[in-house]
Amino acid sequence: MAQRLIDVVLSALAGLVSVLLSWPYWRSFSYWAESPGMWRVYMVLGFVLAVYVFYVFLGCLRTLFLHDALTRQADSSKEGQS
């Protein structure tokens, strides 16, 4: 439970950084959305998508490191037996 909370907080922070990095595009409303309301919708949906992507990435990264640790443990136990 604590790990999921940490992942969500890290994902939300990374999503916020992503939104802030796009500041030059939405600051002057000069990209594709003409109204400030459409920009708000665009930014909120982008933030939610960024949080989801970062959350899935952190989960996959944890699984990758877990598999690596298990592989190293199995390799070291095989070396000890021979």
Side-chain angles (χ1 to χ4, degrees):
M1 181 66 179
Q3 190 63 51
R4 285 186 179 184
L5 181 63
I6 292 170
D7 287 351
V8 168
V9 169
L10 285 175
S11 299
L13 288 174
L16 181 63
V17 168
S18 299
V19 168
L20 293 176
L21 285 175
S22 67
W23 175 261
Y25 292 109
W26 61 273
R27 175 175 48 97
S28 63
F29 306 116
S30 61
Y31 191 50
W32 63 271
E34 293 293 328
S35 69
M38 284 304 296
W39 273 106
R40 287 184 192 102
V41 170
Y42 175 73
M43 296 308 279
V44 167
L45 288 177
F47 175 75
V48 170
L49 182 61
V51 169
Y52 175 74
V53 167
F54 283 119
Y55 183 78
V56 170
F57 173 73
L58 289 173
C60 292
L61 192 64
R62 184 173 300 105
T63 302
L64 180 68
F65 283 126
L66 178 64
H67 282 281
D68 184 52
L70 290 174
T71 303
R72 288 176 188 248
Q73 183 181 10
D75 289 345
S76 66
S77 67
K78 285 181 184 177
E79 289 176 4
Q81 291 177 355
S82 44

